Amino acid sequence: MKTIVTTAGRPTDLTIQLAKNASSKLGLPYIDRQKRTVTQLQQHYQSDVLVAAKSRWEYHGLKSTEPFFYHPSSAMFRLKRVARGEHDPFLDVCQLQPGDSFLDCTLGYASDSLLAAYAVCETGTIHGCEANPVLAFILNEAFHEGRTDHMEFKTLMNRIQIISSDAVTYLKQLEDQSVDVVYMDPMFETSIEESVNISPLRALGIQDTLNEEWVHEAKRVAKKRVVLKAHYTSPWFEEFDFNQIKRPNTKFHYGFIEKAAFNN
């Protein structure tokens, strides 16, 4: 799907420059807003529209009813719970320790990566892959340039390096056993109606399907664990030999493969 770059409805010198900079960086056409609505631009150019607003980026998909913009999603309340000493199922299965390295193969809103950044502390490293280059750009701008209305987790955001690449391509560049935990959450496998907050991401994200090559590369790169999040009915747990952690009354489960299981 083609994407164009423009400004908010009332452009300023700043938003015009931001839009032109994004146009150059992403190799996308810059279009003068000329008081047109986003819908008018979408229909005229048959394109997605990346908008430089005053304090954030908005990504309006031609087939989406609402824009994507960065917000921490479930990380907001999950981090507060963890800080109070409560358990988080994601952290329980990853078993991250201070100083660990973590690769999120499917970054999305980076909610899980923010939890991982909390767990590995300032001595750890977090990398996250986002296959859609425009989404990767928005996340990088939010995390490292302050282009978001949500800066309450700035310290954690600064720990996350965003990789504009699909997971398999990036994994192939890494050395054997070079990352402590490799995490995969191919969210598009099964639509979960309760997850309304990811609907803009669902419309714009790359729809990855877990396959043998992906799992093989994850197992090669992981030093401690490969972790999978998937719908509780997913055949992937059994197909790829993940130990499925069954959680009553939840739509998704976690699974893991220990280092010992694939290094012997």
Side-chain angles (χ1 to χ4, degrees), residues 103 105 167-174 182 214 217-218 220-221:
L103 172 61
C105 290
V168 175
T169 298
Y170 183 64
L171 283 164
K172 287 181 175 180
Q173 300 172 24
L174 301 179
V182 177
W214 190 353
E217 289 298 327
R220 179 186 64 80
V221 169

Side-chain angles (χ1 to χ4, degrees), residues 175-205:
E175 300 291 335
D176 293 359
Q177 299 186 48
S178 56
V179 178
D180 289 305
V181 177
V182 177
Y183 175 60
M184 303 177 291
D185 174 15
M187 75 182 80
F188 301 107
E189 177 206 11
T190 303
S191 176
I192 301 176
E193 292 182 1
E194 290 88 339
S195 301
V196 293
N197 61 332
I198 70 166
S199 58
L201 183 61
R202 190 180 297 280
L204 295 163

Side-chain angles (χ1 to χ4, degrees), residues 82-156:
V82 172
R84 292 197 300 264
E86 298 180 29
H87 286 278
D88 184 272
F90 161 76
L91 291 180
D92 288 344
V93 69
C94 287
Q95 297 188 355
L96 291 166
Q97 301 296 321
D100 275 353
S101 55
F102 174 84
L103 172 61
D104 189 338
C105 290
T106 45
L107 192 58
Y109 283 110
S111 298
D112 291 321
S113 283
L114 286 169
L115 270 290
Y118 179 90
V120 303
C121 304
E122 65 276 4
T123 55
T125 59
I126 307 290
H127 291 76
C129 290
E130 175 47 60
N132 182 322
V134 180
L135 291 177
F137 170 80
I138 293 173
L139 289 168
N140 191 70
E141 289 278 296
F143 280 40
H144 302 297
E145 302 298 332
R147 293 281 299 157
T148 175
D149 298 322
H150 297 278
M151 291 300 292
E152 56 265 53
F153 305 119
K154 187 176 187 301
T155 300
L156 300 180

Side-chain angles (χ1 to χ4, degrees), residues 4-23 30 33 38 49-60 137 141 147:
I4 62 173
V5 186
T6 190
T7 63
R10 295 183 178 180
T12 64
D13 290 343
L14 173 62
T15 57
I16 291 171
Q17 190 59 55
L18 286 168
K20 289 182 176 180
N21 289 346
S23 168
Y30 168 77
R33 185 68 178 253
V38 168
V49 180
L50 176 62
V51 175
K54 181 179 179 180
S55 61
R56 69 186 190 190
W57 292 94
E58 296 181 359
Y59 192 12
H60 298 255
F137 170 80
E141 289 278 296
R147 293 281 299 157

Side-chain angles (χ1 to χ4, degrees), residues 38-69:
V38 168
T39 301
Q40 287 172 331
L41 290 170
Q42 287 174 317
Q43 295 303 317
H44 180 79
Y45 293 98
Q46 283 298 292
S47 175
D48 296 339
V49 180
L50 176 62
V51 175
K54 181 179 179 180
S55 61
R56 69 186 190 190
W57 292 94
E58 296 181 359
Y59 192 12
H60 298 255
L62 182 60
K63 298 180 180 180
S64 179
T65 58
E66 52 186 314
F68 171 90
F69 57 89

